[in-house]
Amino acid sequence: MYFDISQFPKLNVKIAHRNWKTALAEAFALILVAEPGEVICITGPSRIGKSRLIRELMALLCGDNDYRKTGLMPAISVRATNGGTNGTFSTKDFAQRLLNAIDHPLLSNESRDTEDLFLYHKTDRTTEASMKSAFERALVNRKTKYLFIDEAQHASYAATANKAPYAVMDSWKCLAEATGVVLVVVGAYPVLNILGNSPHIVGRKKQVEFPRYRLENRDEYAFCEVVDSFGSLLNLDKSIERLSQCAELLYEGSFGCIGLLKSWLAHASVMSQLEGLPITRSTLAKTMKSDSDRKAIWDEIEMGEKFLETSTLYEPNFKKEQKVETSNSKPKTKPFRRKPTRHPAGNRT
């Protein structure tokens, strides 16, 4: 069967909604004022738009720099993936991705094909320590100031030990300190658990949340604006004058996450095109994620938001030691203002 894909609406558009603008401004400001070796953590629900946020921040930080002409990389971005055995997170695979991101000659060949057999054997023989050392030198030579690590929550799949994910995070922090770069860790809410168990990072970390829209008056209005922006690109049925008429249904299926919303509307658009009909409320209902999928998404959102809420409201509750007065302890009263003790008459011997 032949499909004319040009007939499908393009939903891959930039919609600068309120939460996007706020997260971008806050992250950019914190990155600019961060000291070398500090960590900026950007987190939010899955499919909220964090990867796009990285691309925008990279563009702002790099400006009109042309690496092919200058040889400089003010900022680089690498994605943490499960490239190890049986889907585990491999630190050696990640070290190789770092070298690829900075265009290190250690991984170069004529074809520039990372699947080339010669390159495979070349990298296989190179130790992880050598790769890390080469990357650190490359950061200095490229004059890199900012290192973005996307999908950082995948470090939780590091193998061999229960504390392996925390060790991975600490190694990233050590890398930032050794090279003087600002480390920007970006990931879904599960990354918070890893960072929270890495004391060496907590003290040097600044937190930025890219939140979803919640069921509050101000958020509901902003969510409807985004919905109508997408609706203007779709072929809606006459029964739907504005897509925000279905805002309650759309919120139920997306939880206020714009990335989820866009993916859902793209699915509904494809289905309507295949049926040769405009998008109806029924089309939206049929293409909504299943209950089990939405429950899994909600569980992650709920965990992350509670984690951030409790960490914000956290107050130390240290157990106070009881003071034991000794002969050397200082008197509570001010000097020369004691009230002399009066003894009864005749008490002297």
Side-chain angles (χ1 to χ4, degrees), residues 317-336:
N317 187 24
F318 299 114
K319 188 176 181 180
K320 296 182 179 179
E321 297 182 359
Q322 294 182 351
K323 293 184 178 180
V324 179
E325 294 186 1
T326 63
S327 58
N328 295 327
S329 61
K330 295 182 179 180
K332 296 180 180 180
T333 57
K334 294 183 179 180
F336 305 109

Side-chain angles (χ1 to χ4, degrees), residues 35-39 136 139-140 147 169-183 199-205:
E35 296 290 334
E38 284 191 333
V39 180
E136 289 182 5
L139 285 175
V140 176
L147 170 60
M169 287 290 177
D170 282 343
S171 71
W172 294 350
K173 184 268 302 179
C174 292
L175 170 66
E177 288 183 339
T179 57
V181 301
V182 174
L183 178 63
H200 298 293
I201 288 184
V202 170
R204 300 183 65 86
K205 175 177 70 75

Side-chain angles (χ1 to χ4, degrees), residues 137-150:
R137 292 194 299 271
L139 285 175
V140 176
N141 293 332
R142 303 288 194 213
K143 298 188 182 303
T144 304
K145 295 182 179 180
Y146 310 101
L147 170 60
F148 290 80
I149 299 180
D150 193 12

Side-chain angles (χ1 to χ4, degrees), residues 86-102:
N86 298 324
T88 58
F89 178 83
S90 166
T91 52
K92 183 172 183 178
D93 174 76
F94 184 70
Q96 182 177 340
R97 291 180 180 277
L98 289 172
L99 291 175
N100 275 323
I102 208 164

Side-chain angles (χ1 to χ4, degrees), residues 15-23 210-214 216 218-220 222-223 225-226:
I15 297 179
H17 52 92
R18 190 199 71 205
N19 287 2
W20 158 262
K21 294 177 181 177
T22 302
F210 187 177
R212 65 191 179 96
Y213 290 99
R214 303 197 185 195
E216 302 169 358
R218 187 165 174 261
D219 275 14
E220 289 176 5
F223 181 74
E225 283 188 327
V226 177

Side-chain angles (χ1 to χ4, degrees), residues 209-262:
E209 184 187 14
F210 187 177
R212 65 191 179 96
Y213 290 99
R214 303 197 185 195
L215 288 177
E216 302 169 358
N217 290 337
R218 187 165 174 261
D219 275 14
E220 289 176 5
Y221 178 78
F223 181 74
C224 287
E225 283 188 327
V226 177
V227 166
D228 282 333
S229 296
F230 282 126
S232 64
L233 304 173
L234 300 172
N235 179 25
L236 300 176
D237 187 72
K238 293 181 179 180
S239 61
I240 305 176
E241 294 181 5
R242 301 181 63 171
L243 192 57
S244 55
Q245 291 178 246
C246 305
E248 186 175 347
L249 173 66
L250 293 173
Y251 189 89
E252 181 184 351
S254 67
F255 303 110
C257 298
I258 302 305
L260 284 174
L261 173 66
K262 183 169 72 172

